[in-house]
C-alpha cells in the first residue's frame, strides 16, 4: 500500500515537473518570438528602409555597378525574413530552406556592413554615420532567424535539413551573380551586333542593353578604349550616347 502511494506521489511530482517545464518552454518561445518580431521590424524592415532612403536622398554611388545586385539581395532577404516571421505553419522542409536562404542573406548583410564601415566611421562625426551600423544589426537578425528556421525543421533528419538548407543558401547566393552575369551576356550580344556592318548596328545593340536595369557603362568604355578600329570605336561611342547620354573620348585614361 505504501509503495503504491509513493509511486503515485512520484508520478504526480513528475507530472507537475513536466507541466512546469512545458509552461516555461511555451513562455520562452513567446519571449523568443516577441524578440524576433522586434528585431525583424527594427533591423529587418525599418532600418534597411532608412538606409536606402538616405542613400537615395543623398544620391551617393557607394556600390557602383553592384547597386542593383545589392538592392535585389536586400529585397530577397526581407521577403525571406517576412516569410519566416509570419508563416506560422511553415512546413519543416521549407523552414530548412528558409534557414539556408537567411544564412546567406546574413553573410551578405555582414559583407555590406564591412564594406561601408570606413565610411561609417568617418560619418560618425556628423551623426549620420550611425545609420551605417544598421547592416550589422540586420546581419545579426537574419542569422538569428536562420537559426530559428533551422530549429523549426527539427522533425526532419539532419541530412534532409542540410540538403534543404543548402538549396536555400545556393539560391540566395546566386542572386549576387544574377545581375553581373546578365550584364556580361548583354554586352557580349551588343558587341556582336556592333560588329555587324549595318547602319543600325548601334541601335540594335542598344535594344539589348536597354533590357538590363542598372547597367554599368564601364565595360562599354573599356571596350571602346581598347578598340583600334576607328569605325568600330565610333559605333561603340554612338552606342554609349544612345544608352548613357555621352560620347567616349579616346583621350580618356583607363583606370
Amino acid at each position: 500500500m505504501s509503495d503504491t502511494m509513493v509511486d503515485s506521489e512520484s508520478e504526480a511530482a513528475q507530472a507537475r515537473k513536466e507541466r512546469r517545464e512545458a509552461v516555461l518552454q511555451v513562455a520562452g518561445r513567446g519571449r523568443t518570438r516577441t524578440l524576433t518580431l522586434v528585431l525583424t521590424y527594427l533591423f529587418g524592415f525599418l532600418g534597411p528602409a532608412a538606409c536606402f532612403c538616405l542613400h537615395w536622398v543623398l544620391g551617393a554611388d557607394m556600390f557602383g555597378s553592384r547597386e542593383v545586385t545589392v538592392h535585389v539581395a536586400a529585397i530577397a532577404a526581407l521577403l525571406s525574413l517576412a516569410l519566416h516571421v509570419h508563416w506560422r505553419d511553415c512546413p519543416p522542409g521549407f523552414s530548412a530552406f528558409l534557414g539556408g536562404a537567411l544564412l546567406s542573406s546574413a553573410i551578405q548583410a555582414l559583407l555590406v556592413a564591412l564594406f561601408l564601415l570606413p565610411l561609417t566611421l568617418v560619418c560618425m562625426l556628423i551623426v549620420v554615420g550611425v545609420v551605417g551600423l544598421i547592416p550589422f544589426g540586420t546581419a545579426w537578425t537574419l542569422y538569428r532567424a536562420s537559426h530559428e528556421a533551422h530549429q523549426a525543421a527539427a522533425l526532419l533528419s539532419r541530412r534532409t535539413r542540410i540538403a534543404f538548407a543548402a538549396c536555400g543558401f545556393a539560391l540566395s547566393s546566386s542572386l549576387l551573380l544574377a545581375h553581373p552575369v546578365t550584364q556580361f551576356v548583354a554586352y557580349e550580344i551588343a558587341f556582336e551586333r556592333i560588329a555587324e556592318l549595318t547602319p543600325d548596328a548601334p541601335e540594335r545593340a542598344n535594344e539589348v542593353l536597354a533590357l538590363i536595369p542598372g547597367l554599368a557603362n564601364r565595360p562599354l568604355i573599356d571596350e571602346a578604349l581598347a578598340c583600334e578600329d576607328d569605325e568600330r570605336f565610333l559605333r561603340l561611342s554612338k552606342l554609349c550616347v544612345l544608352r548613357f547620354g555621352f560620347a567616349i573620348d579616346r583621350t580618356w585614361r583607363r583606370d
Side-chain angles (χ1 to χ4, degrees):
M1 182 70 176
S2 60
D3 291 341
T4 304
M5 292 179 62
V6 170
D7 291 342
S8 298
E9 291 177 359
S10 177
E11 291 175 358
Q14 182 65 26
R16 286 194 298 271
K17 181 180 178 181
E18 291 176 355
R19 285 197 299 271
R20 184 167 59 252
E21 290 177 351
V23 170
L24 291 175
Q25 187 175 16
V26 171
R29 287 177 180 174
R31 287 193 297 271
T32 299
R33 177 165 178 77
T34 300
L35 181 58
T36 298
L37 287 172
V38 171
L39 290 175
T40 296
Y41 283 104
L42 185 60
F43 291 110
F45 299 138
L46 298 179
C51 288
F52 282 117
C53 286
L54 183 63
H55 171 65
W56 293 328
V57 169
L58 296 179
D61 186 15
M62 292 181 291
F63 303 109
S65 61
R66 300 284 184 179
E67 185 166 347
V68 173
T69 303
V70 171
H71 289 178
V72 171
I75 292 172
L78 298 186
L79 288 176
S80 299
L81 191 58
L83 279 174
H84 167 68
V85 170
H86 295 292
W87 193 357
R88 301 293 295 273
D89 299 323
C90 182
F94 195 72
S95 289
F97 179 87
L98 276 180
L102 288 167
L103 179 60
S104 174
S105 296
I107 295 173
Q108 295 168 27
L110 181 60
L111 292 176
V112 170
L114 293 174
F115 175 79
L116 296 176
L117 186 58
L119 181 62
T120 298
L121 295 177
V122 172
C123 292
M124 280 290 189
L125 300 175
I126 54 175
V127 182
V128 73
V130 176
V131 177
L133 298 177
I134 291 177
F136 285 104
T138 302
W140 166 246
T141 301
L142 290 168
Y143 174 76
R144 193 172 178 280
S146 171
H147 181 66
E148 289 180 357
H150 188 72
Q151 287 183 323
L155 293 177
L156 301 176
S157 66
R158 185 172 181 272
R159 181 175 297 181
T160 304
R161 274 190 293 172
I162 291 175
F164 276 112
C167 291
F169 188 94
L171 179 61
S172 180
S173 300
S174 67
L175 293 176
L176 296 177
L177 301 175
H179 186 263
V181 170
T182 305
Q183 177 176 275
F184 174 80
V185 172
Y187 267 120
E188 288 299 309
I189 296 174
F191 293 153
E192 288 181 2
R193 293 190 175 186
I194 284 291
E196 298 175 359
L197 300 178
T198 56
D200 62 341
E203 287 77 7
R204 295 182 64 247
N206 184 50
E207 291 175 359
V208 178
L209 299 184
L211 300 175
I212 310 301
L215 190 72
N217 57 31
R218 191 74 249 178
L220 178 55
I221 295 174
D222 288 343
E223 179 72 15
L225 294 178
C227 180
E228 297 181 357
D229 185 345
D230 290 339
E231 184 177 352
R232 178 176 171 82
F233 173 82
L234 292 175
R235 288 169 179 261
L236 291 170
S237 182
K238 183 178 180 180
L239 174 59
C240 191
V241 172
L242 293 173
R243 183 73 263 138
F244 301 108
F246 64 88
I248 302 173
D249 193 328
R250 277 195 183 276
T251 61
W252 291 351
R253 292 177 57 189
R254 280 176 287 176
D255 297 331

